[in-house]
Amino acid sequence: MLAALQFFELRSSYADRELNIPFPATVQTLTEIWHCTPRNVKIVLRKLSDLGWISWQPGLGRGNSSMLTFLADAQDILLEEAIAQTKKGDVKGALELIDRFGESAQVKNGFLEWLSGGMGFTRTLGTGTVLDTLRFPVQRSIVTLDPASIYFAFDSHIIGHIYDTLVDFDPISETFRPSIAHFWESSPDCSEWIIHLRKGVSFHHGREVTAQDVIYTFDRLRLNPERYGQSWMFTGISDIRMLDRKTVHITLTEPNYLFLHLLSVKASSILPADLCGADEAAFMRQPVGTGAFKLVRHDESICVLEAFSSHFRGRPHIDRVEIIHLSEQDAGMLKEPDWSYASCTEQNVYNGYLRKSAGPDAEWREVETISPGCSMLVFNQRKEGPQSSLAFRRALDLIIDRKQMIADLGENRIYPARGFRIQRSEAADLGTRKETAPDAAEIYRLLEQSGYRGETILLSTRIRHVTDAQWIQQRCCDFGIRMEIKVRKAEDMAGPGFSPEDDCQLYEVVLGKDEIQDLELYLQKGFFPSALPDGMRETVEASARAVMSDSAPDSRWRRLYELEELLRQSYGVLFLLHKKSNTRFHSSIQGINLNSCGWLDFRTVWFQPHSLA
């Protein structure tokens, strides 16, 4: 790698020189190019000459110049080096090298063409072994692999393959099934629980799961409410103790009819007390769980998972999963992988719909669904400024014409949002509803009432929402409101609180079918609570916690809708848009399980090179 880098630097310094034509060069000039001593320059020249990339003829005698000749095409070597780096797992370094030294788009196109050929399913035959690998690109990074700090859906998806929870929730049948726990029981009011652990469940490092691991996992969450975003789930535990090596007794401060559901979410993934407790920071860089896959590599370029042979539910069929981190632009240049040999060990399900196996006329198909959630603008009411005025927030609500935003920006934006959730029938109704244009006079009246005097409003968002933010910025500008957009990294928006310098944040939430993810919006510190004013924040949190003590599902949903209405009436949150998501698949796939966000379940997919069809 070093020799190639030195060659690229040399070639860039003499970009106008043609191949196989000698030209004069001095050692002194080369010391400036490579930032090294004359002695080291001679070592580098010898190395590049031995590789056949250059020819160096030292000048003999005073006045005779040394002659340098380029013998190899730097762009060919650049492509070879980028491929070599990628085979070592450093995709990010390969792309940075191409962006730095590529003279045209040809090298990157060639590299992405090669990379495309390795996407999807590959089968490698070794001596007595067959290695099935699933490789695919993603346009986002993994922010955390700590279950206690989950904030983003993609992190949750990967965590779900590394760890297991005590119980599993099936969103299709809306039932619970055993996982690490094989049986559980509760008091009639759900304030006391006994959990019985399955025998033979092992962590990736070989030790069997015991009651101590469960106690450690939940104590870590409930005793550190300021440290972990997901602590709200277990602060209601007043006592947790071991009855024996495989039995845990949990006492709650009050009834919780959603407690079993809490035991099934990714934040409740069971951690090994011996490893995580010894050095938590080191553990989270290379976490160990009981999941169907174990993590073998995780950096800026790639995340690699390998099948855990001793998983208590059986070994996955896929041996290795390689998730390559690419920018949206680079990922968009890849060819569609060939999924035609993919099959599934379970029912062929996508977003709750059963798909039948394709016949001989298999082709590429696309499934379009409404994303379960919405985009929103959240105001920081704990900071002094125009955004703390109800009149100003109402003015912005009028300024942001959702239907016009959809018409202008199009793509996956489909319906104005009037809350977190929307059903297909409701969406169709909303799509035909007539709305009047914003009242400019009313907007100016509200701005005057708010006392706005030209202050700059700081709106922060992630790169994927910049287009929406710029549209809002322009609309505000039309009414004399100055707005600055700050693009933040995902990890910067996943902290325990609202950034104190932001006046508002634009982001999107993804929800499931159950009450837990709605409660998370109100109780996890990274969402609304840290942006609400004192008084209202306490009211919202108390009301959200009361939902868990309600035994009636209909009553729980009514309480959640009342909380949503409180946000709407205070204009502390402006619901913006519902969006659609499109997932492409090859119809010859016998069965691929995808979750509500469109992510593939690695545990059930397998490679089917032969069939009777």
Side-chain angles (χ1 to χ4, degrees):
M1 174 60 185
L2 179 59
L5 185 60
Q6 290 165 333
F7 178 66
F8 299 146
E9 291 172 339
L10 180 65
R11 195 66 178 94
S12 296
S13 299
Y14 295 104
D16 58 337
R17 298 295 182 175
E18 296 183 15
L19 285 177
N20 301 311
I21 298 180
F23 61 91
T26 65
V27 170
Q28 182 58 40
T29 301
L30 299 183
T31 62
E32 296 172 359
I33 293 173
W34 288 324
H35 306 287
C36 62
T37 64
R39 179 176 178 275
N40 284 334
V41 163
K42 295 175 182 177
I43 294 174
V44 174
L45 288 170
R46 190 179 307 115
K47 181 167 50 178
L48 299 184
S49 296
D50 291 342
L51 288 168
W53 295 349
I54 67 167
S55 171
W56 173 258
Q57 186 65 44
L60 300 177
R62 183 182 298 275
N64 294 320
S65 299
S66 299
M67 302 300 290
L68 175 65
T69 308
F70 287 112
L71 303 178
D73 189 326
Q75 298 305 290
D76 291 342
I77 295 174
L78 178 58
L79 178 57
E80 293 173 4
E81 186 61 33
I83 291 174
Q85 288 296 103
T86 301
K87 288 180 177 178
K88 296 176 183 177
D90 189 7
V91 185
K92 183 173 184 290
L95 287 168
E96 288 176 348
L97 198 66
I98 291 173
D99 289 339
R100 181 179 175 186
F101 294 110
E103 295 177 0
S104 67
Q106 184 176 355
V107 175
K108 177 171 278 192
N109 290 341
F111 173 74
L112 293 175
E113 176 88 12
W114 170 83
L115 191 61
S116 295
M119 291 297 167
F121 285 89
T122 60
R123 169 161 285 188
T124 305
L125 302 178
T127 305
T129 62
V130 176
L131 182 67
D132 288 340
T133 300
L134 169 64
R135 183 181 297 112
F136 63 95
V138 294
Q139 301 165 16
R140 63 198 72 200
S141 60
I142 298 172
V143 176
T144 182
L145 291 175
D146 185 350
S149 302
I150 293 175
Y151 193 81
F152 297 108
F154 184 58
D155 294 359
S156 178
H157 181 65
I158 301 302
I159 283 171
H161 287 83
I162 298 174
Y163 307 91
D164 289 301
T165 52
L166 292 177
V167 298
D168 284 341
F169 177 71
D170 183 352
I172 299 173
S173 63
E174 298 186 357
T175 57
F176 295 94
R177 63 177 183 176
S179 183
I180 292 178
H182 73 88
F183 186 73
W184 52 87
E185 50 190 320
S186 69
S187 61
D189 68 349
C190 292
S191 64
E192 192 173 358
W193 295 76
I194 292 182
I195 310 296
H196 303 270
L197 305 183
R198 188 194 302 258
K199 293 180 181 179
V201 179
S202 298
F203 288 107
H204 298 152
H205 66 308
R207 184 175 63 75
E208 189 176 21
V209 176
T210 70
Q212 289 289 3
D213 299 304
V214 176
I215 293 171
Y216 169 78
T217 298
F218 294 162
D219 275 349
R220 178 174 179 258
L221 281 160
R222 74 186 185 98
L223 300 178
N224 297 280
E226 298 304 319
R227 183 175 181 182
Y228 302 113
Q230 300 287 0
S231 289
W232 66 272
M233 295 184 182
F234 297 110
T235 53
I237 295 178
S238 61
D239 181 66
I240 179 169
R241 55 195 173 89
M242 179 175 69
L243 298 183
D244 60 44
R245 193 168 177 271
K246 289 291 182 178
T247 313
V248 179
H249 181 273
I250 300 174
T251 304
L252 308 180
T253 56
E254 57 187 357
N256 187 340
Y257 293 91
L258 293 176
F259 189 71
L260 192 60
H261 216 134
L262 293 177
L263 298 183
S264 73
V265 300
K266 301 298 190 295
S268 305
S269 299
I270 303 303
L271 307 176
D274 55 336
L275 296 186
C276 187
D279 187 343
E280 184 176 309
F283 175 84
M284 288 306 165
R285 288 193 292 271
Q286 192 71 29
V288 170
T290 64
F293 288 85
K294 55 186 178 182
L295 183 74
V296 296
R297 179 172 176 179
H298 172 222
D299 54 40
E300 292 181 337
S301 289
I302 194 171
C303 174
V304 179
L305 305 173
E306 289 185 354
F308 180 39
S309 298
S310 301
H311 192 254
F312 63 94
R313 282 185 174 151
R315 184 193 190 282
H317 294 279
I318 288 294
D319 300 297
R320 184 178 173 94
V321 178
E322 297 181 1
I323 306 164
I324 299 174
H325 305 304
L326 294 178
S327 68
E328 183 174 355
Q329 179 180 358
D330 291 336
M333 295 172 67
L334 294 177
K335 291 182 178 179
E336 190 73 53
D338 180 7
W339 299 103
S340 58
Y341 292 116
S343 288
C344 187
T345 58
E346 295 185 2
Q347 283 187 325
N348 183 356
V349 175
Y350 178 75
N351 278 2
Y353 296 95
L354 186 67
R355 291 194 285 104
K356 296 183 178 180
S357 301
D361 298 325
E363 59 184 13
W364 284 99
R365 297 177 180 174
E366 187 168 286
V367 174
E368 179 177 296
T369 60
I370 298 177
S371 299
C374 70
S375 60
M376 63 188 68
L377 191 64
V378 181
F379 294 101
N380 185 4
Q381 298 180 62
R382 300 183 66 79
K383 175 187 176 184
E384 291 186 6
Q387 81 288 344
S388 63
S389 164
L390 174 61
F392 182 83
R393 300 194 300 273
R394 287 181 59 196
L396 256 65
D397 185 49
L398 292 174
I399 288 172
I400 303 173
D401 183 343
R402 278 74 160 177
K403 301 209 80 172
Q404 189 61 52
M405 188 176 184
I406 294 168
D408 291 344
L409 301 181
E411 296 182 346
N412 64 336
R413 304 164 185 85
I414 51 174
Y415 299 114
R418 293 171 176 82
F420 295 121
R421 298 170 177 275
I422 188 170
Q423 302 297 329
R424 283 185 178 273
S425 59
E426 295 171 331
D429 177 58
L430 287 173
T432 58
R433 185 180 299 172
K434 293 183 178 180
E435 296 182 357
T436 58
D439 186 342
E442 176 65 6
I443 292 172
Y444 284 119
R445 186 191 70 79
L446 288 168
L447 290 175
E448 179 66 26
Q449 180 183 336
S450 72
Y452 179 72
R453 295 296 179 266
E455 300 94 329
T456 297
I457 305 300
L458 180 60
L459 183 156
S460 70
T461 192
R462 294 174 62 190
I463 186 67
R464 60 187 302 190
H465 302 305
V466 165
T467 300
D468 296 53
Q470 291 173 337
W471 187 92
I472 293 172
Q473 181 188 45
Q474 182 57 54
R475 288 286 296 174
C476 287
C477 180
D478 294 341
F479 286 90
I481 299 174
R482 298 173 59 187
M483 181 173 283
E484 176 186 342
I485 298 171
K486 184 176 182 63
V487 179
R488 297 189 184 278
K489 295 180 180 179
E491 53 267 31
D492 294 335
M493 297 188 72
F498 208 97
S499 176
E501 65 183 52
D502 293 343
D503 296 307
C504 52
Q505 289 185 355
L506 172 63
Y507 56 83
E508 186 174 353
V509 295
V510 179
L511 302 175
K513 296 181 179 180
D514 55 83
E515 304 104 312
I516 294 299
Q517 290 184 329
D518 286 67
L519 289 172
E520 186 177 51
L521 298 177
Y522 300 102
L523 297 174
Q524 185 175 339
K525 292 178 173 55
F527 288 110
F528 308 130
S530 58
L532 297 175
D534 291 333
M536 183 178 180
R537 178 173 59 176
E538 286 75 7
T539 297
V540 165
E541 290 185 354
S543 299
R545 291 189 182 280
V547 171
M548 294 186 283
S549 300
D550 195 328
S551 62
D554 289 345
S555 178
R556 291 198 296 266
W557 280 112
R558 187 180 67 252
R559 289 172 182 263
L560 289 170
Y561 293 145
E562 289 172 353
L563 273 171
E564 186 178 289
E565 186 61 27
L566 178 63
L567 289 174
R568 186 167 27 244
Q569 291 179 359
S570 71
Y571 294 86
V573 171
L574 301 186
F575 299 104
L576 299 179
L577 303 175
H578 294 293
K579 299 181 180 181
K580 65 180 179 179
S581 92
N582 295 75
T583 300
R584 296 190 72 232
F585 63 92
H586 197 273
S587 60
S588 64
I589 294 175
Q590 290 189 1
I592 292 294
N593 284 338
L594 301 174
N595 63 20
S596 60
C597 301
W599 296 110
L600 178 70
D601 189 339
F602 312 142
R603 295 167 296 191
T604 59
V605 70
W606 66 288
F607 187 78
Q608 186 188 22
H610 311 291
S611 71
L612 293 174

